[in-house]
Amino acid sequence: MRQNHLSDKDRDRTDYAAVSALAACLALLASPLSALAQDAGPGQSEGPAQQSSSVQRVEIAARQGATDLRRAANVAKQIYGREELDSFGDTNALDVLRRLPGVNVGAGGPRMRGLGAGYTQILINGDPAPQGFALDQLSPSQIERIEVLRAPTADQSAQAIAGTINIILKDAPRRTQRDLRMGLTDGKQRPKANLNLTLGEAKGPLGLSLPVSLFEWHRENTIGTDRQMAGIDGLPAHAQQLGHQQVWGWGYNLGPRLNWKISDEQSLALQGFAQKGYWHNRTNQENHVLSGQPVLEDDSQQKGTWQNLRGNLTWTNRFRNDQRIELRAGVQQSKWSLDSLNLRQGLERLHTVGHGDEAGLSQAGKYSWLLGQSHSLTVGWDLEAKSRREERYVTDQGVPVLADFEGQPFDAQVRRQAFYLQDEWEISPALQMYLGLRNERIRTESHGNAEPVTNESSVLSPLWHLTYKLDPKGRDMVRASLTRSYKAPVLSTLLARPTVNSQFTNTNASNTALAPDRIGNPALAPELATGLDIAFEKYLPAGGLWSVGVFHRQITSLVRTVTTLRPVAWASVPRWVAEPLNFSSATTSGLELEVKGRATELMPVLLADAKTLNLRASINFYRSRVAALPGPDNRLDGQQPWSATLGFDNRFVSLPLNVGGSMSLNPSYDTQLTLDQLQRRSHTRTLDLFGQWIFRPGLSMRLAASSGVQPFGPPNGQTNTVLTNGDFTRIDRQTKPQFNLSLDMRL
């Protein structure tokens, strides 16, 4: 395991060489762009003409491609449609997201600009994703497009310091639709199946669609652990373990949609969503004691379920040509259960049983006026009420670990209120401005076996976006944003209920800094960020584009988990406890570059004959500093110095065959978490390849493979946490390449 860690230096040299080559490639791609700045010749489409009002642009946008939608948007956003969703034959949305420029997938889900998952807002049809929503179990066949916004807008929550990923589910079709995808993925004992069926019908003013997804999985991982710290006798100890993990389960998704055009002025839409799954996890350890009496990870067996139900009703009415109202109402419910066993020498040690549910109601609306041919004003509101209840019971050989807490029900209520105003103004054909103001208030009240805990936060977010077109046809444009965003504490970080470390359940003895107990902090305040984004975008005649952007965020009340040794109510001796605190202020900045398009357009000299080859590339550089920590590695937790992606796809002229691939690179780096704790992360590298054979229009077969990717989680890699006294824990996660074979047909 040490050899693997030391070899990271050699791998990093390879990665830095690769990113240098990619940077040179980007420079080469951009070199002929000056020649492309001239107007399109006869027969070259410039896309739909810009309309004079924002309402008219929305109506036309539904018939535009992803690049046209991005170009016509009044704020900076990246849009990815069917091409990105279908090409690799992915079985879950996370695999699509990890290939997008500037997006990484970690243990907590997708994240942007290298920042943790909590800094990235995940929306479903413009609304916050419900608690427990599983993106790794959402089929891409149910998604219409994915929008990535670098800065917040007033009509969506401003809880988006890094940015927003908005997943738009498929709408009801305008004609009969019968699409079927059947797939097989590699499993341990047999191939695992997945099925996606989309049924759609249109009858007069009614449109109905029913997408259905069924899926199962079975994957094997290896988890290597190298730990040096105080052992069970309090003396130095060192051990290595190799864990063999199996993860398997199955589930389904349903996403019915009904559209009713009541009249030319009124329409009604009903969107439902149901998701349920069953999962299992089993890990067996091989132990190697090197010195002392070390603390070892137990074998484990876990199983559980999750369920999400959601329904939304939207009514739209245009009173006149210049006034429009939209009202939305929603209901949602989430449930989960957990049964976990820790086994030592085949005998039960820890047993954890838990379950919970969350129900919520939401109501939102907005009223829009056209104040002229190119000026609109919108006022809106967003109200939500949620109630959460959960229970957990942990025993050590049948004895409750914390008698005062185990089995006690926990209840919480969350109330969110937001009101906003936005002004969209096309000052001239070359200049568009967006002004917004949003006030969002969140109140959380929790009840357990202690006194009720209340936390309130209120944030006023002024928002300003500017788009300036450098040429009359809108091919070259500069976008700028000055915004206020924030990150509210999640409910789990506010709970003052302790969780005892599973390796040190004896509360009459102490634990270690690398195996702390955990507790929430009811006094947490939201993190606030003032952000500046500037980008230049160039749209090429044949549909390609390239862009370069910079961003800066000034963050206050930064939250970081701090581990300290202190007296606690649940133990007779002081314990090491990890608790989230408003730790410091911080800054983060970055440079983002993206290129995509036809090879003949991007590199006309070198690839003049590659008429069916499309290229994609991006490089992102990040820097951050936490004020309360010394440098040079006082970066924000989890933010890598740079990331890069490179992809291609090609359609053969002589064969009914499409092929493509994508590669992502991240370097190794260190992060100073606290004054006495440093974390080292290894480099990561992921690779995806696909081939699609087209038998006839509406019938094709696709084979896809991926390497370096953990199922439903972060890429393969190593994490090493080091203390100033020399103690450390090194964890290395690896999984084998994955394969997926699918058959797509239009019935």
Side-chain angles (χ1 to χ4, degrees), residues 15-64:
D15 282 350
Y16 279 109
V19 80
S20 299
L22 184 54
C25 179
L26 279 175
L28 185 60
L29 291 176
S31 61
L33 291 177
S34 58
L36 297 171
Q38 57 187 349
D39 293 342
Q44 293 177 316
S45 172
E46 281 296 320
Q50 296 295 314
Q51 303 297 308
S52 59
S53 70
S54 60
V55 174
Q56 291 173 321
R57 283 196 297 269
V58 170
E59 291 177 346
I60 290 176
R63 295 187 292 274
Q64 292 178 311

Short mmCIF file of all heavy atoms in Angstrom, two decimals, residues 15-64:
data_model
loop_
_atom_site.label_atom_id
_atom_site.label_comp_id
_atom_site.label_asym_id
_atom_site.label_seq_id
_atom_site.Cartn_x
_atom_site.Cartn_y
_atom_site.Cartn_z
N ASP A 15 0.15 12.64 -15.39
CA ASP A 15 -1.04 13.48 -15.47
C ASP A 15 -0.68 14.90 -15.86
O ASP A 15 -1.37 15.53 -16.66
CB ASP A 15 -1.78 13.49 -14.13
CG ASP A 15 -2.58 12.22 -13.95
OD1 ASP A 15 -2.69 11.47 -14.93
OD2 ASP A 15 -3.06 11.99 -12.83
N TYR A 16 0.40 15.45 -15.26
CA TYR A 16 0.79 16.81 -15.62
C TYR A 16 1.22 16.89 -17.08
O TYR A 16 0.95 17.88 -17.77
CB TYR A 16 1.91 17.31 -14.70
CG TYR A 16 1.42 17.80 -13.37
CD1 TYR A 16 1.66 17.09 -12.21
CD2 TYR A 16 0.67 18.98 -13.28
CE1 TYR A 16 1.20 17.53 -10.99
CE2 TYR A 16 0.20 19.43 -12.06
CZ TYR A 16 0.47 18.70 -10.92
OH TYR A 16 0.00 19.13 -9.71
N ALA A 17 1.88 15.83 -17.55
CA ALA A 17 2.23 15.80 -18.97
C ALA A 17 0.97 15.75 -19.81
O ALA A 17 0.87 16.41 -20.85
CB ALA A 17 3.12 14.59 -19.26
N ALA A 18 -0.03 14.97 -19.35
CA ALA A 18 -1.27 14.87 -20.10
C ALA A 18 -2.01 16.20 -20.14
O ALA A 18 -2.53 16.61 -21.17
CB ALA A 18 -2.16 13.79 -19.49
N VAL A 19 -2.06 16.88 -18.99
CA VAL A 19 -2.78 18.16 -18.97
C VAL A 19 -2.02 19.22 -19.75
O VAL A 19 -2.62 20.10 -20.38
CB VAL A 19 -3.05 18.62 -17.53
CG1 VAL A 19 -1.83 19.26 -16.90
CG2 VAL A 19 -4.21 19.61 -17.50
N SER A 20 -0.69 19.13 -19.78
CA SER A 20 0.07 20.06 -20.60
C SER A 20 -0.23 19.83 -22.07
O SER A 20 -0.40 20.78 -22.85
CB SER A 20 1.58 19.89 -20.33
OG SER A 20 1.88 20.16 -18.98
N ALA A 21 -0.31 18.55 -22.44
CA ALA A 21 -0.67 18.24 -23.82
C ALA A 21 -2.08 18.72 -24.14
O ALA A 21 -2.36 19.21 -25.23
CB ALA A 21 -0.54 16.74 -24.06
N LEU A 22 -2.98 18.57 -23.16
CA LEU A 22 -4.35 19.02 -23.37
C LEU A 22 -4.41 20.53 -23.50
O LEU A 22 -5.16 21.08 -24.32
CB LEU A 22 -5.23 18.55 -22.21
CG LEU A 22 -6.72 18.86 -22.31
CD1 LEU A 22 -7.29 18.33 -23.63
CD2 LEU A 22 -7.45 18.23 -21.13
N ALA A 23 -3.61 21.24 -22.70
CA ALA A 23 -3.57 22.70 -22.82
C ALA A 23 -3.05 23.12 -24.19
O ALA A 23 -3.58 24.05 -24.81
CB ALA A 23 -2.68 23.29 -21.72
N ALA A 24 -2.02 22.41 -24.66
CA ALA A 24 -1.52 22.71 -26.00
C ALA A 24 -2.56 22.41 -27.05
O ALA A 24 -2.70 23.14 -28.04
CB ALA A 24 -0.25 21.89 -26.26
N CYS A 25 -3.32 21.33 -26.81
CA CYS A 25 -4.40 20.98 -27.75
C CYS A 25 -5.45 22.08 -27.79
O CYS A 25 -5.93 22.46 -28.86
CB CYS A 25 -5.03 19.65 -27.34
SG CYS A 25 -6.39 19.12 -28.41
N LEU A 26 -5.81 22.61 -26.63
CA LEU A 26 -6.79 23.69 -26.59
C LEU A 26 -6.26 24.92 -27.31
O LEU A 26 -7.00 25.59 -28.04
CB LEU A 26 -7.11 24.04 -25.13
CG LEU A 26 -8.12 23.14 -24.43
CD1 LEU A 26 -8.24 23.55 -22.97
CD2 LEU A 26 -9.47 23.21 -25.10
N ALA A 27 -4.99 25.23 -27.10
CA ALA A 27 -4.41 26.38 -27.80
C ALA A 27 -4.44 26.16 -29.31
O ALA A 27 -4.72 27.07 -30.09
CB ALA A 27 -2.98 26.61 -27.33
N LEU A 28 -4.17 24.91 -29.72
CA LEU A 28 -4.18 24.60 -31.15
C LEU A 28 -5.59 24.69 -31.70
O LEU A 28 -5.82 25.18 -32.81
CB LEU A 28 -3.61 23.20 -31.37
CG LEU A 28 -3.44 22.74 -32.83
CD1 LEU A 28 -2.48 23.68 -33.55
CD2 LEU A 28 -2.92 21.31 -32.87
N LEU A 29 -6.57 24.23 -30.90
CA LEU A 29 -7.96 24.31 -31.34
C LEU A 29 -8.38 25.76 -31.51
O LEU A 29 -9.15 26.10 -32.41
CB LEU A 29 -8.87 23.62 -30.33
CG LEU A 29 -8.76 22.10 -30.23
CD1 LEU A 29 -9.67 21.60 -29.12
CD2 LEU A 29 -9.12 21.43 -31.53
N ALA A 30 -7.90 26.62 -30.63
CA ALA A 30 -8.32 28.02 -30.68
C ALA A 30 -7.60 28.82 -31.75
O ALA A 30 -8.05 29.89 -32.15
CB ALA A 30 -8.10 28.69 -29.32
N SER A 31 -6.46 28.29 -32.25
CA SER A 31 -5.64 29.08 -33.16
C SER A 31 -6.34 29.49 -34.43
O SER A 31 -6.14 30.61 -34.91
CB SER A 31 -4.35 28.31 -33.48
OG SER A 31 -4.66 27.08 -34.13
N PRO A 32 -7.19 28.63 -35.05
CA PRO A 32 -7.83 29.07 -36.29
C PRO A 32 -9.11 29.83 -36.08
O PRO A 32 -9.79 30.17 -37.05
CB PRO A 32 -8.10 27.73 -37.01
CG PRO A 32 -8.37 26.77 -35.91
CD PRO A 32 -7.46 27.20 -34.79
N LEU A 33 -9.45 30.14 -34.84
CA LEU A 33 -10.76 30.73 -34.59
C LEU A 33 -10.88 32.14 -35.14
O LEU A 33 -11.98 32.60 -35.44
CB LEU A 33 -11.05 30.74 -33.07
CG LEU A 33 -11.27 29.34 -32.49
CD1 LEU A 33 -11.46 29.44 -30.99
CD2 LEU A 33 -12.45 28.65 -33.14
N SER A 34 -9.75 32.83 -35.24
CA SER A 34 -9.84 34.18 -35.78
C SER A 34 -10.33 34.16 -37.22
O SER A 34 -11.02 35.07 -37.67
CB SER A 34 -8.47 34.86 -35.70
OG SER A 34 -7.51 34.10 -36.43
N ALA A 35 -9.99 33.06 -37.92
CA ALA A 35 -10.45 32.96 -39.30
C ALA A 35 -11.93 32.66 -39.37
O ALA A 35 -12.57 32.88 -40.39
CB ALA A 35 -9.67 31.85 -40.02
N LEU A 36 -12.48 32.15 -38.26
CA LEU A 36 -13.89 31.79 -38.25
C LEU A 36 -14.77 32.93 -37.80
O LEU A 36 -15.98 32.79 -37.71
CB LEU A 36 -14.10 30.58 -37.33
CG LEU A 36 -13.38 29.30 -37.77
CD1 LEU A 36 -13.48 28.25 -36.68
CD2 LEU A 36 -13.96 28.78 -39.07
N ALA A 37 -14.18 34.05 -37.42
CA ALA A 37 -14.98 35.15 -36.91
C ALA A 37 -15.75 35.87 -37.99
O ALA A 37 -16.65 36.66 -37.70
CB ALA A 37 -14.07 36.15 -36.18
N GLN A 38 -15.44 35.59 -39.28
CA GLN A 38 -16.17 36.26 -40.35
C GLN A 38 -17.58 35.75 -40.42
O GLN A 38 -17.91 34.70 -39.90
CB GLN A 38 -15.44 36.01 -41.67
CG GLN A 38 -15.29 34.53 -42.00
CD GLN A 38 -14.43 34.30 -43.22
OE1 GLN A 38 -14.12 35.25 -43.92
NE2 GLN A 38 -14.05 33.06 -43.45
N ASP A 39 -18.46 36.46 -41.09
CA ASP A 39 -19.85 36.07 -41.19
C ASP A 39 -19.99 34.77 -41.96
O ASP A 39 -19.17 34.43 -42.80
CB ASP A 39 -20.68 37.16 -41.91
CG ASP A 39 -20.76 38.41 -41.08
OD1 ASP A 39 -20.49 38.31 -39.86
OD2 ASP A 39 -21.07 39.48 -41.64
N ALA A 40 -21.08 34.08 -41.68
CA ALA A 40 -21.34 32.84 -42.38
C ALA A 40 -21.63 33.12 -43.84
O ALA A 40 -22.24 34.11 -44.21
CB ALA A 40 -22.52 32.11 -41.75
N GLY A 41 -21.20 32.19 -44.68
CA GLY A 41 -21.46 32.34 -46.11
C GLY A 41 -22.86 31.91 -46.45
O GLY A 41 -23.64 31.51 -45.60
N PRO A 42 -23.23 31.95 -47.71
CA PRO A 42 -24.55 31.53 -48.15
C PRO A 42 -24.81 30.09 -47.76
O PRO A 42 -23.96 29.22 -47.92
CB PRO A 42 -24.48 31.71 -49.68
CG PRO A 42 -23.39 32.70 -49.90
CD PRO A 42 -22.41 32.48 -48.82
N GLY A 43 -26.01 29.87 -47.25
CA GLY A 43 -26.41 28.53 -46.87
C GLY A 43 -26.02 28.13 -45.48
O GLY A 43 -26.40 27.07 -45.01
N GLN A 44 -25.25 28.94 -44.76
CA GLN A 44 -24.86 28.62 -43.40
C GLN A 44 -25.84 29.26 -42.44
O GLN A 44 -26.02 30.46 -42.42
CB GLN A 44 -23.43 29.11 -43.11
CG GLN A 44 -22.38 28.35 -43.92
CD GLN A 44 -21.01 28.91 -43.66
OE1 GLN A 44 -20.83 30.13 -43.63
NE2 GLN A 44 -20.04 28.04 -43.47
N SER A 45 -26.43 28.42 -41.60
CA SER A 45 -27.50 28.90 -40.72
C SER A 45 -26.94 29.65 -39.55
O SER A 45 -25.94 29.28 -38.95
CB SER A 45 -28.32 27.69 -40.22
OG SER A 45 -29.23 28.11 -39.25
N GLU A 46 -27.57 30.72 -39.20
CA GLU A 46 -27.22 31.47 -37.99
C GLU A 46 -28.13 31.10 -36.83
O GLU A 46 -28.05 31.66 -35.78
CB GLU A 46 -27.35 32.96 -38.26
CG GLU A 46 -26.19 33.56 -39.01
CD GLU A 46 -24.93 33.47 -38.20
OE1 GLU A 46 -25.00 33.69 -36.99
OE2 GLU A 46 -23.88 33.18 -38.78
N GLY A 47 -29.05 30.15 -37.03
CA GLY A 47 -29.99 29.81 -35.96
C GLY A 47 -31.15 30.77 -35.95
O GLY A 47 -31.20 31.76 -36.68
N PRO A 48 -32.17 30.49 -35.12
CA PRO A 48 -33.34 31.34 -35.05
C PRO A 48 -32.99 32.77 -34.66
O PRO A 48 -32.11 33.01 -33.85
CB PRO A 48 -34.18 30.66 -33.95
CG PRO A 48 -33.67 29.25 -33.91
CD PRO A 48 -32.24 29.33 -34.27
N ALA A 49 -33.65 33.70 -35.26
CA ALA A 49 -33.40 35.11 -34.95
C ALA A 49 -33.84 35.42 -33.53
O ALA A 49 -34.78 34.84 -33.00
CB ALA A 49 -34.18 35.99 -35.94
N GLN A 50 -33.16 36.35 -32.89
CA GLN A 50 -33.51 36.75 -31.54
C GLN A 50 -34.84 37.50 -31.52
O GLN A 50 -35.11 38.35 -32.36
CB GLN A 50 -32.40 37.64 -30.95
CG GLN A 50 -31.08 36.92 -30.81
CD GLN A 50 -31.16 35.81 -29.81
OE1 GLN A 50 -31.69 35.99 -28.72
NE2 GLN A 50 -30.67 34.63 -30.17
N GLN A 51 -35.66 37.14 -30.53
CA GLN A 51 -36.96 37.78 -30.41
C GLN A 51 -36.85 39.01 -29.51
O GLN A 51 -35.91 39.18 -28.74
CB GLN A 51 -37.98 36.78 -29.84
CG GLN A 51 -38.10 35.50 -30.68
CD GLN A 51 -38.60 35.79 -32.07
OE1 GLN A 51 -39.63 36.45 -32.24
NE2 GLN A 51 -37.89 35.34 -33.08
N SER A 52 -37.87 39.81 -29.56
CA SER A 52 -37.81 41.08 -28.84
C SER A 52 -38.19 40.97 -27.39
O SER A 52 -37.96 41.88 -26.63
CB SER A 52 -38.76 42.10 -29.53
OG SER A 52 -40.10 41.60 -29.51
N SER A 53 -38.77 39.87 -26.96
CA SER A 53 -39.17 39.76 -25.56
C SER A 53 -38.74 38.41 -25.02
O SER A 53 -38.59 37.44 -25.75
CB SER A 53 -40.70 39.90 -25.41
OG SER A 53 -41.35 38.76 -25.95
N SER A 54 -38.54 38.36 -23.70
CA SER A 54 -38.09 37.13 -23.07
C SER A 54 -39.15 36.05 -23.15
O SER A 54 -38.84 34.87 -23.25
CB SER A 54 -37.73 37.41 -21.59
OG SER A 54 -38.86 37.89 -20.91
N VAL A 55 -40.45 36.42 -23.09
CA VAL A 55 -41.52 35.43 -23.18
C VAL A 55 -41.48 34.73 -24.53
O VAL A 55 -41.60 33.53 -24.65
CB VAL A 55 -42.89 36.08 -22.92
CG1 VAL A 55 -44.00 35.08 -23.15
CG2 VAL A 55 -42.95 36.63 -21.51
N GLN A 56 -41.29 35.48 -25.60
CA GLN A 56 -41.21 34.89 -26.93
C GLN A 56 -39.99 33.98 -27.04
O GLN A 56 -40.06 32.93 -27.66
CB GLN A 56 -41.15 36.00 -27.98
CG GLN A 56 -42.48 36.77 -28.10
CD GLN A 56 -42.35 37.97 -29.02
OE1 GLN A 56 -41.33 38.66 -29.00
NE2 GLN A 56 -43.37 38.22 -29.80
N ARG A 57 -38.86 34.33 -26.44
CA ARG A 57 -37.67 33.50 -26.50
C ARG A 57 -37.90 32.16 -25.85
O ARG A 57 -37.45 31.13 -26.32
CB ARG A 57 -36.50 34.21 -25.84
CG ARG A 57 -35.88 35.30 -26.69
CD ARG A 57 -34.51 35.68 -26.16
NE ARG A 57 -34.58 36.22 -24.82
CZ ARG A 57 -34.71 37.52 -24.57
NH1 ARG A 57 -34.79 38.39 -25.55
NH2 ARG A 57 -34.75 37.94 -23.33
N VAL A 58 -38.65 32.13 -24.75
CA VAL A 58 -38.93 30.88 -24.06
C VAL A 58 -39.72 29.94 -24.96
O VAL A 58 -39.47 28.75 -25.04
CB VAL A 58 -39.69 31.13 -22.74
CG1 VAL A 58 -40.20 29.84 -22.15
CG2 VAL A 58 -38.78 31.84 -21.74
N GLU A 59 -40.70 30.47 -25.70
CA GLU A 59 -41.51 29.63 -26.56
C GLU A 59 -40.67 29.00 -27.67
O GLU A 59 -40.84 27.86 -28.04
CB GLU A 59 -42.64 30.47 -27.17
CG GLU A 59 -43.69 30.91 -26.15
CD GLU A 59 -44.76 31.79 -26.76
OE1 GLU A 59 -44.55 32.26 -27.89
OE2 GLU A 59 -45.79 31.98 -26.11
N ILE A 60 -39.71 29.75 -28.19
CA ILE A 60 -38.89 29.25 -29.29
C ILE A 60 -37.83 28.28 -28.76
O ILE A 60 -37.46 27.34 -29.44
CB ILE A 60 -38.23 30.44 -30.03
CG1 ILE A 60 -39.31 31.20 -30.79
CG2 ILE A 60 -37.16 29.96 -31.00
CD1 ILE A 60 -38.81 32.44 -31.49
N ALA A 61 -37.38 28.46 -27.50
CA ALA A 61 -36.28 27.67 -26.97
C ALA A 61 -36.56 26.18 -27.01
O ALA A 61 -35.65 25.38 -27.17
CB ALA A 61 -35.98 28.11 -25.53
N ALA A 62 -37.81 25.77 -26.86
CA ALA A 62 -38.13 24.36 -26.82
C ALA A 62 -37.79 23.67 -28.13
O ALA A 62 -37.66 22.46 -28.19
CB ALA A 62 -39.62 24.17 -26.51
N ARG A 63 -37.66 24.42 -29.24
CA ARG A 63 -37.35 23.84 -30.53
C ARG A 63 -35.89 24.04 -30.91
O ARG A 63 -35.48 23.74 -32.02
CB ARG A 63 -38.26 24.45 -31.61
CG ARG A 63 -39.73 24.12 -31.39
CD ARG A 63 -40.55 24.61 -32.57
NE ARG A 63 -40.62 26.05 -32.66
CZ ARG A 63 -41.51 26.80 -32.01
NH1 ARG A 63 -42.39 26.23 -31.21
NH2 ARG A 63 -41.51 28.12 -32.15
N GLN A 64 -35.08 24.55 -30.01
CA GLN A 64 -33.67 24.79 -30.29
C GLN A 64 -32.81 23.66 -29.73
O GLN A 64 -33.21 22.95 -28.81
CB GLN A 64 -33.23 26.12 -29.67
CG GLN A 64 -33.86 27.34 -30.32
CD GLN A 64 -33.43 28.62 -29.63
OE1 GLN A 64 -33.49 28.72 -28.42
NE2 GLN A 64 -32.99 29.59 -30.40
#
